[in-house]
């Protein structure tokens, strides 16, 4: 058995993974740092190219970590562990300064102050940034320090040794080959689930968040014994109809107005009430629009500049193709598909303020980790924290042992999927159907009857997996992705059924328990896996100074 | 879902594979032009020809350098394989790739014999190569590019003498093979030395020394010609950390230099897998095969015996080279194999000639 020897394995080379590699090599330059990246590391991940803002920065003199904690508590309806969110806000200004050191531009106003925008209920934490090549910049720094990327490899299974993490098995998504990596510490930074349900276009990859994110990290963590939480927080947002590309904050924070079909203003000046858009839509006052035509030419150009260069440059082609000029026409918004994501929502692997999970040596950061609504700031800061912690852990941890039987089991599973017998389902159609049924039963309005119906489909799909025709490594990776989506959907169904109340507006609205019930449900719902069986339990919310129970 | 989101302007495409490498959805694959498929060193002649035709001589030289550091030697030996399969052969005669190479080497020696700007991976591994003939040089370069510290042992007083002194195949069979001028060899060796490869000349190592070398080095690749006889499999693997390439492989018929180099590339790849601890056929990172389905020209295929290509006469002028290069039909191009486009644009950003245009998928337009 060939083994790729490493000290610190990072699964996922996006924002969190790359900064973790950088940080690990800054604090321990001799560390062997390996990155499994499912795509190609230069542009892979949710930011792909650039970003227009660093979402959460507590700028001294302007806002504080305490205020951020209040803001995120309000945004997450109280389901927040104080420690991680507080630590993130506390370190956020130092992060901004560090990024300036890389050459990232944070524009300032005429008084020399950073340009901030109000996105949260309280405080202006969103800080403008102008860096269309942020990702490639980050990658270059990580690689220059000696991190070793292994492209086209997705994380498949973690390997453990006496309860601690010992490495991982990855799958080359082109060849279908397995890559076994030994490591003393592993960071999962592989994103959320962006392909949970179908987008309204029906195009499998026409989703808002990077479609490579299929919950691989949730599944690896669950199987290794870590907990996941917030899986009932099935989130969608209101974005450009059909293209599902982001623009709301960019427009509203620059003077755009969100209107319902009667012309009533839903949002103006601040992006603080996403639920109001959802409500307008659900109540039939949709579709909602963003109006920019009242803005001066200069502002419209600024918005166009960001949309067409930094955020998703292809926006220009989309609007051009539909003959939409922001000076004359409104932008129609429509709900996106649903996603599970720690960056924008609450779903994630349970972590504490040290980015640790329940498994010794296993860390999680970014959209795959459960730091509520952490956005890019959280990915960067918890990537750094995970690296600092892992470097310390590696220094004192004994060598790990890889059990050949564990690898052989993965190899057998893989060989079984390649066997040609009775296989006639196309993996794309399988994915289409799984995501359609998830959209039918596991999103608002939710109820116990729907969760019951889901169980039939969950079992049926597991049977269908045995009949999917696989012709090459790429299709094999797609099958694993759909299996991961399904297990995440099972977690969502279990957690959604378990939480017998409604909370977070459309993100968890139950028709059979329509009210928020703080007396019974002001808590996390944490899911763990034992003997291939998922269990949900209530876990109390930790206050500042208390340990997060993993 | 047959709609194509990625439109390729085939009159501009260099078939360089940048878009395939950078696609974050693993959507694209490269359809290789026949010249590159058959070129024993995997040279992208389509890219070179297109760049030359548009007057971008330096870029053309870089494309050559990207495939091989042995452009100077290749220009002398010629590449009959690429010319034999050129589609233009059906209409007015194959492109004279060898003459184009000769022109390029003469016009841009700084690039052809220069260092390729790439970051070598950090490695603490040591590799030994026995023999500094065509196979040994190719193996040494490939191993060095994987980050290993490489030492080449050569019995003769200078490296590369089988190419410079013997105007024939390794055992004197091929009369027509041109000798590589000493100046070409010197420049090539200088570049290899500068890349960190250590040459120990007048240091013969043979079959009897293999055990001690294998104990001292992490990998040993024997390419000493007829000095040893080693039973190797088709990938050049002998046993443990020992590999063999070229005519020291048991039952190997005599090889032309290009055949020997192709065999060495394969064996070096196997040795690289051993050194790195895992086996990925391609695209483990930036230094491997640039998104190709297989190593272009370096796959399992046998390299036929082909007569060398006679030079056209004098060296092309710039005008003649551009004219000849402009005859390229551009057979290679990327294509969407998996229909997973996220219309995210990195492919377009990295395309050097704006040959690629990303459309919004029909379902979304």
């Amino acid at each position: 058995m060939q083994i790729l020897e490493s000290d610190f394995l990072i699964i996922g080379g996006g924002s969190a993974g790359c900064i973790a590699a950088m940080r690990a090599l800054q604090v321990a330059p001799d560390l062997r740092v390996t990155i499994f990246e499912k795509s190609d590391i230069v542009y892979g991940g949710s930011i792909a190219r650039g970003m227009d803002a660093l979402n959460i920065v507590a700028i001294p003199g302007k806002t504080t970590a305490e205020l951020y904690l209040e803001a995120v508590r309000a945004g997450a309806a109280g389901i927040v562990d104080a420690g991680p969110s507080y630590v993130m806000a506390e370190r956020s200004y130092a992060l901004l300064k560090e990024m300036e050191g890389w050459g990232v531009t944070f524009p300032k106003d005429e008084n020399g102050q950073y340009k901030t925008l109000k996105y949260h209920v309280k405080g202006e934490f969103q800080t403008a940034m102008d860096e269309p090549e942020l990702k490639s910049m980050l990658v270059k720094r990580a690689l220059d320090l000696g991190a070793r990327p292994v492209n086209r490899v997705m994380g498949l299974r973690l390997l453990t040794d006496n309860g601690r993490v010992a490495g991982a098995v990855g799958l080359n998504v082109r060849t279908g080959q397995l890559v076994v990596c030994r490591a003393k510490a592993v960071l999962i930074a592989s994103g959320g689930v962006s392909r949970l349900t179908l987008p309204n276009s029906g195009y499998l990859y026409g989703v808002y968040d990077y479609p490579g994110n299929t919950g691989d990290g949730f599944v690896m963590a669950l199987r290794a014994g870590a907990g996941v939480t917030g899986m009932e927080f099935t989130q969608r947002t209101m974005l450009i109809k059909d293209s599902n590309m982001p623009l709301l904050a960019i427009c509203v924070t620059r003077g755009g107005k969100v209107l319902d079909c009667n012309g009533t203003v839903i949002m103006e000046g601040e992006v603080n009430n996403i639920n109001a858009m959802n409500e307008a839509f659900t109540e039939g006052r949709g579709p909602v629009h963003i109006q920019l035509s009242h803005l001066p030419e200069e502002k419209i150009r600024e918005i166009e500049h960001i949309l067409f260069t930094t955020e998703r440059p292809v926006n220009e082609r989309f609007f051009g193709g539909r003959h939409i000029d922001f000076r004359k026409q409104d932008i129609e918004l429509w709900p996106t598909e649903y996603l599970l994501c720690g960056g924008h929502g609450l779903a994630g692997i349970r972590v504490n303020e040290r980015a640790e999970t329940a498994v010794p040596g296993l860390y999680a950061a970014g959209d795959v980790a459960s730091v509520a609504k952490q956005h890019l700031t959280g990915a960067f800061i918890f990537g750094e924290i995970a690296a600092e912690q892992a470097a310390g852990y590696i220094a004192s941890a004994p060598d790990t042992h890889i059990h050949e039987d564990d690898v052989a089991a993965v190899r057998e599973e893989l060989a079984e999927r390649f066997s040609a017998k009775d296989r006639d389902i196309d993996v794309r159609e399988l994915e289409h159907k799984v995501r359609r049924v998830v959209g039918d039963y596991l999103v608002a309005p939710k109820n116990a009857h729907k969760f019951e119906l889901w169980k039939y489909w969950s079992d049926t799909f597991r049977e269908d997996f045995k009949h999917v025709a696989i012709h090459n490594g790429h299709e094999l990776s797609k099958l694993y992705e759909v299996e991961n989506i399904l297990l995440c959907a099972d977690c969502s169904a279990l957690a959604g059924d378990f939480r017998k109340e409604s909370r977070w507006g459309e993100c968890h609205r139950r028709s059979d328990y329509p009210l928020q019930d703080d007396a019974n449900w002001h808590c996390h719902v944490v899911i763990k896996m034992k003997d291939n069986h998922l269990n949900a339990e209530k876990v109390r919310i930790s206050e500042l100074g208390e340990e997060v129970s993993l | 879902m047959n709609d194509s989101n990625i439109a390729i302007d085939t009159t501009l495409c260099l078939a360089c594979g940048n878009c395939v490498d950078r696609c974050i959805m693993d959507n694209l694959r490269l359809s290789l032009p026949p010249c590159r498929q058959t070129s024993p060193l995997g040279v992208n002649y389509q890219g070179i020809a297109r760049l030359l035709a548009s007057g971008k001589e330096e870029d053309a030289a870089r494309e050559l350098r990207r495939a091989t550091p042995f452009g100077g030697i290749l220009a002398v030996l010629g590449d009959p394989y690429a010319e034999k399969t050129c589609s233009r052969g059906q209409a007015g005669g194959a492109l004279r790739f060898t003459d184009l190479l000769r022109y390029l080497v003469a016009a841009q020696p700084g690039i052809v014999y220069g260092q390729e700007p790439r970051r070598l991976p950090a490695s603490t591994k040591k590799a030994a190569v026995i023999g500094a003939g065509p196979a040994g040089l190719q193996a040494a370069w490939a191993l060095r590019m994987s980050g290993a510290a490489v030492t080449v042992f050569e019995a003769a007083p200078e490296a590369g003498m089988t190419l410079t002194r013997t105007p024939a195949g390794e055992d004197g069979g091929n009369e027509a093979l041109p000798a590589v001028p000493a100046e070409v060899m010197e420049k090539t060796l200088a570049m290899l030395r500068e890349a960190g490869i250590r040459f120990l000349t007048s240091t013969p190592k043979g079959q009897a020394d293999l055990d001690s070398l294998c104990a001292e080095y992490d990998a040993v690749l024997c390419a000493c010609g007829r000095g040893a006889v080693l039973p190797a499999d088709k990938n050049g693997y002998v046993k443990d950390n020992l590999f063999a390439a070229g005519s020291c492989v048991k039952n190997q018929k005599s090889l032309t230099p290009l055949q020997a180099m192709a065999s060495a590339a394969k064996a070096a790849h196997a040795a690289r897998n051993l050194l790195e601890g895992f086996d990925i056929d391609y695209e483990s990172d930036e230094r491997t095969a640039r998104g190709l389905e297989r190593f272009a020209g370096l796959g399992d295929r046998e390299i036929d015996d082909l007569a060398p290509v006679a030079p056209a006469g004098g060296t092309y002028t710039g005008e003649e080279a551009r004219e000849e290069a402009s005859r390229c039909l551009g057979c290679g191009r990327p294509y969407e194999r998996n229909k997973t486009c996220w219309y995210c644009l990195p492919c377009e950003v990295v395309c050097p000639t704006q040959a690629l245009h990303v459309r919004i998928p029909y379902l979304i337009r």
Side-chain angles (χ1 to χ4, degrees), chain B residues 1 12 25 51 75 80 87 101 226 238 250 261 284 328 330 347:
Chain B
M1 305 257 181
L12 294 174
M25 292 303 294
L51 288 164
S87 302
L101 287 179
R226 295 296 185 206
V238 181
K250 195 177 175 183
M261 287 166 95
S284 65
C328 175
C347 53

Side-chain angles (χ1 to χ4, degrees), chain A residues 400-422:
Chain A
T400 48
H401 178 68
I402 286 181
H403 299 275
E404 296 217 1
D405 290 353
D406 297 346
V407 178
V410 182
R411 215 174 278 286
E412 267 168 44
E413 270 178 44
L414 185 149
E416 206 277 322
R417 285 167 173 79
F418 258 129
S419 72
K421 213 172 142 195
D422 298 331

Side-chain angles (χ1 to χ4, degrees), chain A residues 40 148 152 174 203 317, chain B residues 21-22 26 276 282 341:
Chain A
D40 178 86
R148 172 185 185 165
R152 310 293 171 193
R174 283 189 176 169
Y203 178 63
R317 269 164 229 181
Chain B
D21 281 355
R22 291 287 101 88
D26 194 32
E276 303 215 351
Y282 59 87
C341 182

Side-chain angles (χ1 to χ4, degrees), chain A residues 444-513:
Chain A
K446 305 176 183 181
N447 61 47
H449 182 57
K450 284 184 174 176
F451 291 127
E452 197 54 40
L453 291 169
W454 165 256
K455 285 179 189 159
Y456 165 81
W457 282 105
S458 172
D459 293 342
T460 304
F461 288 135
R462 289 219 152 66
E463 198 52 42
D464 290 349
F465 288 162
K466 298 174 188 163
H467 302 283
V468 175
I470 299 297
H471 304 98
N472 54 47
H474 179 89
E475 287 186 347
L476 179 68
S477 73
K478 289 286 154 209
L479 177 56
Y480 276 110
E481 287 185 345
V482 179
E483 292 184 27
N484 291 346
I485 292 168
L486 186 75
L487 189 69
C488 291
D490 280 335
C491 289
S492 184
L494 177 61
D497 194 15
F498 190 76
R499 185 182 280 281
K500 293 189 173 29
E501 63 155 355
S502 290
R503 194 178 282 267
W504 311 301
E506 285 299 292
C507 297
H508 182 64
R509 180 164 65 83
R510 289 192 58 156
S511 55
D512 47 357
Y513 297 95

Side-chain angles (χ1 to χ4, degrees), chain A residues 311-330:
Chain A
E311 187 66 59
R312 288 289 302 276
V314 79
N315 265 316
E316 188 170 13
R317 269 164 229 181
F318 175 76
F319 287 113
R322 294 205 171 177
H323 309 292
I324 291 173
D325 179 348
F326 302 154
R327 288 154 195 84
K328 296 182 191 119
Q329 285 113 326
D330 291 354

